[in-house]
Amino acid sequence: MHQLAELKHKNHQLLTHEALHNIGRVESFPSLVSITALEECNYRCVMCTQEHRSTAQISATGLKQIELALPYADQVCITGGEPFLYEHIDQFFHLCHQGQCAPIVQTNGSLLKERQCRMLLKCGTSVVKVSCDGATPTTYNRIRRGGDFLNLIGNIKRLTALKTARGRRLPLLEFNFVAMRSNIEELTQLTYLASKIGVRAINVFLLSAETEDMARESLYFYPELADKEFLRAVEAGALHGVVVNIPPLFSEKPVFAQSASQTQRCTAPWRTMTVNVDGSVAICCGGAGVAGNLNTHSFTEVWNHPLRRKVRETVNTENELSCCRNCRQGRPVTDQIAAHIPDPELAQRTMAYFVRMAGGLPG
């Protein structure tokens, strides 16, 4: 165990050096590996355009390649679909345990029964992020179609009780909340609920709308309401011991950073590896595309893929690629409609709808 801790420490030092000097071909390994283990899900959420009928799961070959990085990595995040439907999830946790990596699990929480809760504690899970977009059964069940709010709350209470009984601080419990017009006024109420059931943070994300109905839910058309509710939730969270992580306020009028000096340095191309269910590996979660596939290439070939090397060599410089200049994660632009409704035609139709309905945009 001491040897693995030393490997991880040295790897962190190396990747920090490589990121600082924009080194393209690296000798370090990712400190965070994110895995989309499968596409199947037992929910049909209103904002999700994936059908989740695919039975595809990450292959044994892909999982074996990922195993090579785990002695150097600090954390491994598993998501889906719904990760507790992944038939090899026991193997995933075993690999994390062998590599002394702290698992992070992103789940809808519907399957957090006794066995799953015990598994999370046994394998040293650091964080469980539960999707929860409402503070009442009516709102939650409407958004998370197929879900049951009361079942979810019961499952979280079970995990919290098991942690308490064993004197454990981990895993930390967080809510992931997709903010939209029909649920934003429940965000403050959710902070109260979170404090009562052991959830210590709420991560708020702005809706990215891809359908007509969802576009009309976008908070882009309700900026004053959004800012008011975001700040109200932050204040309530501070009172009740819940950290509420909100997106940039609309009133802040953020703009794209034009150079590295105007924004925090991006280290994602050195620090993270994001593996999709088909084995393809994304450069980051900000839209830089994929670079290689673990089903057909070795870990080293994928990790030092030419496109990833190009991104490493140019990010945080005046020559960075357009995918970095327009990063949807590191440099969000809340006052531009494209950040909320990516399809220009859908954005235009929705804008026209609000103009017709109110003779102008609602505040």
Side-chain angles (χ1 to χ4, degrees):
M1 184 177 297
H2 176 75
Q3 184 180 12
L4 284 177
E6 184 66 19
L7 276 178
K8 295 176 192 298
H9 176 68
K10 290 182 177 178
N11 184 66
H12 180 73
Q13 290 181 315
L14 181 58
L15 75 83
T16 300
H17 169 81
E18 291 170 338
L20 183 62
H21 294 86
N22 282 83
I23 295 174
R25 180 178 290 277
V26 300
E27 297 180 10
S28 63
F29 290 81
S31 62
L32 169 64
V33 180
S34 297
I35 303 171
T36 300
L38 76 172
E39 296 179 351
E40 182 182 1
C41 185
N42 54 343
Y43 282 11
R44 297 294 181 268
C45 302
V46 296
M47 61 284 200
C48 181
T49 57
Q50 300 178 37
E51 293 187 355
H52 291 302
R53 294 190 176 91
S54 171
T55 59
Q57 299 192 0
I58 195 163
S59 70
T61 300
L63 207 58
K64 193 70 177 175
Q65 293 282 6
I66 294 168
E67 185 180 0
L68 299 175
L70 300 192
Y72 305 89
D74 298 314
Q75 295 177 314
V76 184
C77 178
I78 186 169
T79 185
E82 169 48 48
F84 282 107
L85 294 173
Y86 182 42
E87 60 187 48
H88 302 301
I89 195 166
D90 288 16
Q91 182 185 358
F92 164 80
F93 283 126
H94 176 68
L95 291 177
C96 291
H97 179 73
Q98 280 189 319
Q100 292 299 301
C101 297
I104 299 172
V105 179
Q106 296 189 159
T107 173
N108 61 35
S110 64
L111 303 177
L112 284 176
K113 304 306 179 184
E114 186 77 17
R115 177 180 178 274
Q116 287 78 11
C117 291
R118 292 184 182 277
M119 182 190 302
L120 291 172
L121 268 67
K122 181 180 179 180
C123 71
T125 304
S126 59
V127 184
V128 176
K129 300 186 178 188
V130 180
S131 300
C132 184
D133 313 297
T136 63
T138 299
T139 299
Y140 175 88
N141 294 351
R142 178 185 57 79
I143 294 173
R144 295 280 165 181
R145 293 183 302 196
D148 184 321
F149 182 73
L150 298 181
N151 172 66
L152 173 68
I153 300 306
N155 289 347
I156 293 173
K157 287 181 176 178
R158 177 185 295 110
L159 180 53
T160 297
L162 194 57
K163 283 172 53 181
T164 301
R166 297 191 177 187
R168 300 285 187 86
R169 186 179 70 90
L170 301 178
L172 299 176
L173 300 178
E174 300 180 359
F175 279 148
N176 282 351
F177 180 96
V178 178
M180 58 190 83
R181 176 61 188 92
S182 61
N183 69 0
I184 187 62
E185 292 174 275
E186 292 189 11
L187 181 56
T188 294
Q189 185 179 347
L190 188 62
T191 66
Y192 300 145
L193 175 61
S195 68
K196 293 178 181 178
I197 61 176
V199 176
R200 295 307 174 207
I202 301 175
N203 307 307
V204 182
F205 302 91
L206 291 169
L207 172 70
S208 180
E210 299 184 36
T211 66
E212 203 90 37
D213 289 343
M214 286 297 97
R216 295 177 185 181
E217 287 266 14
S218 174
L219 291 175
Y220 173 79
F221 301 104
Y222 305 90
E224 293 179 6
L225 174 66
D227 283 1
K228 181 186 75 171
E229 295 299 332
F230 287 155
L231 293 174
R232 196 160 71 97
V234 169
E235 183 179 356
L239 288 173
H240 294 274
V242 176
V243 176
V244 181
N245 299 308
I246 59 173
L249 297 176
F250 286 90
S251 58
E252 291 176 347
K253 300 294 183 186
V255 296
F256 282 125
Q258 298 301 313
S259 69
S261 64
Q262 294 174 280
T263 187
Q264 184 178 355
R265 285 185 65 85
C266 174
T267 61
W270 296 270
R271 186 175 53 85
T272 66
M273 170 179 270
T274 302
V275 185
N276 300 317
V277 69
D278 62 356
S280 63
V281 178
I283 294 175
C284 63
C285 58
V290 300
N293 192 300
L294 291 176
N295 289 332
T296 54
H297 296 87
S298 71
F299 175 89
T300 302
E301 289 174 315
V302 170
W303 187 230
N304 279 309
H305 187 278
L307 180 54
R308 185 182 289 269
R309 284 168 21 214
K310 182 68 173 177
V311 170
R312 287 173 179 151
E313 290 165 358
T314 58
V315 69
N316 307 313
T317 75
E318 296 296 332
N319 299 317
E320 64 185 12
L321 305 180
S322 61
C323 58
C324 297
R325 289 196 304 272
N326 303 323
C327 178
R328 62 173 179 255
Q329 292 295 327
R331 303 170 189 177
V333 185
T334 55
D335 65 342
Q336 294 186 11
I337 195 170
H340 306 265
I341 309 174
D343 182 346
E345 292 186 6
L346 178 58
Q348 187 176 18
R349 290 199 306 272
T350 309
M351 184 77 77
Y353 166 81
F354 279 106
V355 171
R356 289 196 308 271
M357 291 295 292
L361 298 183

